[in-house]
C-alpha cells in the first residue's frame, strides 16, 4: 500500500476526474492537498510530507510541478516526485517522457512505472521588488524573449489553444526585447562582457513543439546550460534560426555535428554556477512564471537534488 500525497491544482483538473483515474490503482492510500493562489504548491507539498507520503504527485501545470519540486528538494526526506502534467507547456514532463494527455497513463508512471530517477535542480537567487528571493527551476530560467512572451500571452487564448498561444505572442515579445549589456560570470572564470536580448539558463533542453534550446543539456549531468541570443536584425534572426534548426537541430540529429555549434547570434556555455548583472532591469521568468524585474541574479545547480518517478 503506497501513501500518496496528491497536490492538485483545481483550476486544471477536478478531484472527481483524478479519483476516477486513481481507481485503476487500488493499492494506494491518497491524501489530497489543494493548491490556491496564495499557495501554488510549496505548502501543500510540505503538508503531504508531514502526513507521511511515500510519493508526492503534482497534478497541474509547470508552476505546480516547480513548487512541489522546490519543497521536495529542500527537504531531507528523499520522497520522490510524480508528475501528472496538466498545463500549457508541461516542460519537465516532456523532457522526462511522462505521458501527456492521459491522467491514467501519467499516474501509472508515477505510481507503478519505471525505477525512480535522480535529476538536478537549479536554484535562482535575485532581489525582486526590494526583496531577496530564492526559487527552484526544474527546466529553464531567463530574461528576454521567453519572459516577454509569457507576459504577452493571452490567458483566454492559452486556455483554448494550449502552447500554440505562445506562438501568437512571440512576435510582440521580439518587438519588446531590446539588446542590452550583460556581465556573466561562469564558475570561477573572469567576467564575460557581452550584449544580448535574451539569456536562457536551463537544466533540460526541449521546449514546446519539440524544439531543442540546449542541445547538450541533460537533467542529471550536474551542469547548467546557457544560451545567449543577440540577433538585432533580419539577417541575424535568420542566423539564429539556422543555428537552432540546422546546425544544432537536423545536422546534430543525423550525426553530422558532434558538439553544439555557436553562431554569429547564438552562444552556448555550460557551468555549475552563473552570476548575471544587467545594464537595465528585465523581467525574470522561471519555468514559465513571471517573477518580476531584476537587475542581477545568480543561478546554481544542485546535483541529484530531486528523485522523480
Amino acid at each position: 500500500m503506497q501513501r500518496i500525497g496528491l497536490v492538485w491544482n483545481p483550476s486544471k483538473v477536478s478531484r472527481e476526474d483524478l479519483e476516477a483515474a486513481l481507481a485503476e490503482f487500488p493499492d494506494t492510500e491518497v491524501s489530497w492537498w489543494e493548491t490556491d493562489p496564495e499557495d501554488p504548491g510549496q505548502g501543500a507539498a510540505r503538508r503531504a510530507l508531514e502526513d507521511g507520503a511515500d510519493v508526492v504527485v503534482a497534478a497541474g501545470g509547470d508552476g505546480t510541478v516547480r513548487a512541489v519540486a522546490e519543497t521536495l528538494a529542500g527537504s531531507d526526506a528523499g520522497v520522490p516526485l510524480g508528475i501528472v502534467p496538466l498545463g500549457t507547456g508541461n516542460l519537465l514532463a516532456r523532457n522526462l517522457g511522462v505521458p501527456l494527455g492521459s491522467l491514467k497513463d501519467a499516474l501509472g508512471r508515477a505510481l507503478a512505472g519505471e525505477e525512480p530517477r535522480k535529476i538536478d535542480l537549479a536554484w535562482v537567487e535575485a532581489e525582486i521588488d526590494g526583496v531577496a528571493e530564492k526559487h527552484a527551476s526544474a527546466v529553464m530560467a531567463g530574461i528576454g524573449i521567453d519572459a516577454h512572451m509569457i507576459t504577452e500571452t493571452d490567458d483566454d487564448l492559452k486556455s483554448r489553444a494550449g502552447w500554440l498561444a505562445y506562438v501568437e505572442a512571440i512576435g510582440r515579445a521580439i518587438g519588446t526585447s531590446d539588446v542590452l549589456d550583460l556581465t556573466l560570470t561562469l564558475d570561477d572564470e573572469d567576467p564575460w562582457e557581452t550584449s544580448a536580448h535574451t539569456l536562457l539558463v536551463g537544466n533540460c533542453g526541449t521546449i514546446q513543439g519539440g524544439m531543442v534550446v540546449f542541445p547538450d543539456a541533460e537533467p542529471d549531468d550536474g551542469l547548467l546550460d546557457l544560451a545567449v541570443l543577440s540577433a538585432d536584425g533580419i539577417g541575424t534572426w535568420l542566423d539564429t534560426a539556422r543555428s537552432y534548426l540546422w546546425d544544432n537541430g537536423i545536422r546534430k540529429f543525423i550525426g553530422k555535428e558532434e558538439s553544439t555549434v555557436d553562431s554569429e547570434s547564438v552562444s552556448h556555455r555550460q557551468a555549475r554556477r552563473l552570476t548575471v548583472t544587467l545594464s537595465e532591469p528585465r523581467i525574470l521568468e522561471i519555468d514559465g512564471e513571471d517573477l518580476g524585474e531584476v537587475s542581477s541574479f545568480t543561478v546554481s545547480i544542485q546535483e541529484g537534488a530531486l528523485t522523480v518517478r
Side-chain angles (χ1 to χ4, degrees), residues 188-233:
D188 296 324
E189 298 178 6
D190 292 334
W192 171 23
E193 306 284 347
T194 188
S195 297
H197 57 72
T198 299
L199 168 68
L200 301 173
V201 187
N203 184 43
C204 300
T206 303
I207 59 173
Q208 296 96 329
M211 182 177 176
V212 178
V213 176
F214 307 108
D216 295 329
E218 295 290 345
D220 56 1
D221 62 1
L223 293 170
L224 300 168
D225 285 77
L226 283 64
V228 182
L229 282 63
S230 58
D232 60 357

Side-chain angles (χ1 to χ4, degrees), residues 4-8 18 22 30-34 48 55-57 59 107:
I4 310 305
L6 204 155
V7 177
W8 63 292
L18 287 169
L22 282 164
V30 183
S31 59
W32 296 84
W33 309 96
E34 185 175 334
V55 57
V56 178
V57 176
L107 285 166

Side-chain angles (χ1 to χ4, degrees), residues 256-275:
K256 296 294 186 180
E257 295 288 354
E258 294 184 358
S259 59
T260 299
V261 177
D262 286 351
S263 73
E264 178 184 354
S265 62
V266 183
S267 299
H268 297 273
R269 299 288 189 276
Q270 290 184 314
R272 292 184 56 82
R273 180 178 175 84
L274 169 70
T275 301

